[in-house]
Amino acid sequence: MSEKPISQHIFIFPFRWNIKGKRGPKQITDLTKINIDCTRAKTKNDYSGKWVRSPYQLDNELNYNEYQYFHDFVRKAIYDEGEKRKHPVFRHYEYNCDEKMFFCIEASKSYRLEITDVLLNFYETGVGVLSFHLINYAHPGQDEILEINQKGRRIFPPFLVNSTSANDFAALESVMPKEVSIEIACKNEVNHVTENFKKFFNKKDLIDLKPELYIPDHLRYFLNFDYLNMQIQPVIDERMYVICWYANSKLRDELFPKGGDLNFLNMKYPYWHQYLFVDGQLNCSHQSMFEDLTDRHTYKRWLGEGTIYGVTRYSFMCLTTDNAPDYISTHVMHHYYKMAELCLVQRASLLVFSDRVTNVSSIEDKDTPKKIKDIYKDYIRFVNKLFFREITPQEQGIELYDLFQKNMAIPANVKDLDAEIEELHRYSTMLVEQQQTEIVSRLSFIATIFAIGAFVTGFYGMNIFDGNNLANNGQWHLGVITMLLIFCPLLIGLGYYVVSLSNKKKIAVEIAQFFWNGIFILVYIVIIGFLLIAGYWVTMMPIERTSMLNYF
């Protein structure tokens, strides 16, 4: 076993989280509901350790150097300031364990890597990140590094193949490990939290399994937050993001000889491409495409000094020499890790916003404008608090961040989502205006009803309701007719308003409105006609009544 690290690895698991049983984005992703600064809920597999919230402290030179590397406005998104900030962008937790832990992978051989840190961040966008920080002292082989990265990152099988049994499936050995486990030494005994993925290989189990919600046991052990009523699910795909620093002078000289030949762009030397894209085997057989992909994802500034970096959508890789300065691994595991996680959170948050936009677009109800408003407000906050065009004044950091952004297609996705949310916001404005128009229309209808009474009293004068005056003139029926002219339209208007409010569906409202309006108008005409005839009959002389009866 080597005394110096052969390689260092970080596996980053981005996930989506929400508080179950809550409504609205404010409640389901409320950071104040995450209170896990205490020993985890005990289970039979809970051996030791606890999550502790760990605000960033400038208590050593490493923390100070890292802190100064980033712009001031970026620090709020990558450093937890604790209770100083009333509305934090995220919360940072560290897993404290008194015993040593190891990340174990069973594949073509057994791998055992020491766990130095397990970190957990919850962001207000509904995205979380769990990361394992590992050191490899025992596996120097080039193929061993490839297999550690390729199989250690798996969350569940990307695809299945037929098995010899009719009721079973299998995964390709070149893709999936046999098992992954967390080894925890506690009280003079060694315990393992193991995931063997067998749930995916049995047809009976697979029917009830939902891969989009699946969290393997070795990850779920650290995400056991049932007591918080929290739901967690993968947000990107079946792989964790990989960061790797690997020191191998012989390999470096083979791929990047001092003569200046760029062998890493030649398919005869595929290792850098495989290492960069986390492929156990070469998955590109076209020389031009191989060269283009490798070149576009490789950062060559320090190639002459023996160090090369690469960035893809699911990896950040560094290959250097055995005698490289210690600050290179420090930068990869700290500065560039922060950079990679920030970009990963941006990408995951964009996917969460896209999902929210899709859901609100497919369901239209009375709360749709409010939901759209919430998305618009949260997205504006995301753009201001988590999405940055530049995060450091350091030239190399600027170039690497640009490479992250480009290869993850983050600016293009932000631009597309901008257009979608802006279109959704215009749609919300249209819905609100439509609702306001309907309210004004109803008020105008009711105002028109009251205008009839106002017209009648204005034409006859208010004294028309004087009983003595009406009786003396033999025109009492005019008072009755006038009262009906006032109150019948009022009843019609109120009936229409109540009916329109009691029906939620637009079609039902229109049908009810048409039906009741017709009934009210018909009854209104019949009553008015009857009263006019009755009033005229009362004022007629007896001889006139006799003549009218003889006429009919």
Side-chain angles (χ1 to χ4, degrees):
M1 181 178 290
S2 173
E3 293 183 0
K4 280 189 67 176
I6 298 167
S7 64
Q8 296 186 52
H9 308 255
I10 302 177
F11 293 133
I12 304 177
F13 172 57
F15 58 87
R16 183 174 183 176
W17 68 274
N18 61 72
I19 305 298
K20 293 186 289 186
K22 300 292 183 179
R23 293 185 177 181
K26 280 289 185 184
Q27 289 74 37
I28 64 176
T29 58
D30 185 358
L31 288 175
T32 62
K33 301 297 183 184
I34 303 176
N35 182 22
I36 57 177
D37 291 3
C38 56
T39 302
R40 298 181 336 110
K42 294 297 180 183
T43 68
K44 63 179 181 180
N45 291 326
D46 193 5
Y47 304 114
S48 65
K50 62 179 180 179
W51 286 112
V52 175
R53 187 177 180 186
S54 302
Y56 199 76
Q57 295 180 348
L58 300 178
D59 53 1
N60 57 60
E61 69 279 4
L62 176 59
N63 286 359
Y64 176 83
N65 293 341
E66 181 187 315
Y67 189 82
Q68 291 298 324
Y69 185 81
F70 297 99
H71 285 308
D72 178 64
F73 57 84
V74 177
R75 293 170 188 156
K76 299 178 182 65
I78 57 179
Y79 298 118
D80 185 356
E81 298 179 348
E83 301 303 327
K84 295 178 185 177
R85 182 161 294 277
K86 187 176 180 180
H87 301 291
V89 177
F90 79 110
R91 287 191 175 190
H92 173 71
Y93 297 86
E94 297 181 5
Y95 193 76
N96 285 359
C97 185
D98 297 331
E99 309 294 339
K100 278 193 172 182
M101 296 190 295
F102 296 90
F103 195 94
C104 303
I105 306 166
E106 288 292 329
S108 64
K109 60 175 65 175
S110 298
Y111 302 98
R112 187 169 178 262
L113 290 79
E114 182 180 336
I115 298 177
T116 60
D117 292 290
V118 182
L119 308 179
L120 178 63
N121 293 331
F122 287 98
Y123 292 83
E124 65 175 2
T125 57
V127 170
V129 173
L130 174 69
S131 60
F132 297 91
H133 298 243
L134 317 173
I135 297 182
N136 167 31
Y137 291 103
H139 311 286
Q142 300 174 18
D143 292 337
E144 291 178 313
I145 301 301
L146 289 181
E147 191 163 42
I148 289 171
N149 289 333
Q150 164 76 345
K151 298 184 178 179
R153 64 177 178 159
R154 291 297 178 187
I155 301 172
F156 53 84
F159 57 87
L160 299 173
V161 295
N162 291 327
S163 176
T164 53
S165 171
N167 293 320
D168 291 337
F169 302 102
L172 292 178
E173 292 184 1
S174 61
V175 175
M176 288 296 296
K178 296 174 184 176
E179 66 179 38
V180 179
S181 64
I182 305 296
E183 178 185 311
I184 305 171
C186 181
K187 297 179 181 179
N188 299 320
E189 64 177 346
V190 177
N191 301 286
H192 289 84
V193 181
T194 303
E195 174 60 59
N196 55 24
F197 308 102
K198 288 185 178 180
K199 303 179 187 70
F200 290 87
F201 303 149
N202 183 279
K203 183 177 292 187
K204 182 179 178 181
D205 294 335
L206 189 63
I207 291 175
D208 299 324
L209 200 61
K210 294 182 179 180
E212 69 276 8
L213 300 177
Y214 187 74
I215 308 292
D217 290 340
H218 67 292
L219 300 186
R220 188 173 292 281
Y221 173 78
F222 295 97
L223 299 172
N224 180 21
F225 301 134
D226 292 340
Y227 61 95
L228 293 177
N229 203 26
M230 181 185 294
Q231 178 175 310
I232 291 175
Q233 64 184 82
V235 72
I236 295 183
D237 56 20
E238 83 290 346
R239 301 166 289 186
M240 289 190 276
Y241 192 91
V242 179
I243 297 176
C244 183
W245 168 89
Y246 180 31
N248 188 323
S249 295
K250 183 180 177 180
L251 175 62
R252 187 266 168 207
D253 292 339
E254 177 186 321
L255 295 174
F256 316 103
K258 294 180 179 180
D261 295 332
L262 299 180
N263 289 344
F264 74 98
L265 295 177
N266 193 319
M267 288 180 61
K268 295 179 181 179
Y269 303 89
Y271 188 84
W272 172 250
H273 183 94
Q274 292 175 258
Y275 176 66
L276 174 59
F277 288 96
V278 200
D279 285 332
Q281 56 188 6
L282 186 60
N283 287 326
C284 181
S285 59
H286 189 274
Q287 174 58 41
S288 293
M289 186 176 183
F290 176 92
E291 182 177 339
D292 178 62
L293 284 173
T294 307
D295 187 56
R296 281 194 293 111
H297 293 82
T298 301
Y299 181 67
K300 302 181 282 289
R301 172 183 275 267
W302 301 110
L303 184 58
E305 301 293 330
T307 301
I308 190 168
Y309 301 92
V311 179
T312 72
R313 286 183 296 109
Y314 37 83
S315 66
F316 173 72
M317 317 302 276
C318 174
L319 179 62
T320 188
T321 57
D322 296 328
N323 58 352
D326 291 340
Y327 66 77
I328 294 179
S329 62
T330 299
H331 273 69
V332 172
M333 295 295 110
H334 293 269
H335 303 61
Y336 303 149
Y337 154 67
K338 292 287 188 185
M339 188 182 296
E341 183 178 287
L342 177 61
C343 293
L344 191 60
V345 168
Q346 291 171 355
R347 185 181 174 212
S349 297
L350 289 172
L351 293 175
V352 169
F353 277 113
S354 295
D355 182 59
R356 289 177 63 183
V357 168
T358 301
N359 289 337
V360 78
S361 300
S362 58
I363 302 175
E364 182 177 329
D365 54 31
K366 63 180 181 179
D367 295 328
T368 296
K370 184 181 182 303
K371 292 177 181 177
I372 295 174
K373 181 182 177 181
D374 288 337
I375 293 175
Y376 191 74
K377 182 171 62 177
D378 292 345
Y379 181 70
I380 296 263
R381 182 170 172 80
F382 159 75
V383 170
N384 291 332
K385 299 293 184 180
L386 278 175
F387 177 64
F388 310 102
R389 292 172 177 82
E390 181 179 298
I391 64 173
T392 174
Q394 300 294 325
E395 194 65 30
Q396 179 177 342
I398 293 173
E399 294 167 355
L400 274 174
Y401 183 71
D402 288 344
L403 196 60
F404 271 107
Q405 294 283 300
K406 178 181 177 182
N407 290 338
M408 287 188 177
I410 293 174
N413 289 332
V414 167
K415 184 177 180 181
D416 291 342
L417 194 58
D418 274 341
E420 289 182 35
I421 292 182
E422 185 60 36
E423 192 68 29
L424 203 61
H425 184 62
R426 284 199 291 267
Y427 175 68
S428 172
T429 303
M430 183 192 72
L431 288 179
V432 172
E433 291 176 350
Q434 183 179 352
Q435 292 174 356
Q436 292 174 343
T437 301
E438 291 178 356
I439 292 173
V440 171
S441 176
R442 289 170 182 167
L443 293 175
S444 299
F445 182 83
I446 294 173
T448 303
I449 299 298
F450 279 104
I452 298 175
F455 170 78
V456 171
T457 55
F459 183 80
Y460 288 102
M462 292 302 297
N463 291 333
I464 193 173
F465 296 102
D466 185 348
N468 295 328
N469 185 42
L470 292 175
N472 294 334
N473 295 327
Q475 296 179 342
W476 62 269
H477 59 283
L478 291 179
V480 175
I481 294 173
T482 302
M483 293 294 291
L484 290 172
L485 284 172
I486 294 174
F487 287 106
C488 283
L490 178 60
L491 292 174
I492 293 173
L494 292 176
Y496 158 66
Y497 186 72
V498 170
V499 168
S500 64
L501 288 179
S502 64
N503 292 272
K504 295 182 179 179
K505 294 184 178 179
K506 188 176 180 181
I507 296 177
V509 171
E510 292 178 350
I511 293 175
Q513 173 186 335
F514 178 80
F515 175 78
W516 286 108
N517 280 354
I519 293 296
F520 280 134
I521 291 173
L522 180 62
V523 171
Y524 185 56
I525 292 174
V526 169
I527 292 174
I528 295 299
F530 174 78
L531 290 175
L532 287 173
I533 294 173
Y536 181 69
W537 177 268
V538 170
T539 57
M540 291 176 63
M541 299 294 293
I543 190 171
E544 292 176 338
R545 295 176 189 169
T546 303
S547 299
M548 179 174 289
L549 290 173
N550 291 333
Y551 177 78
F552 287 104

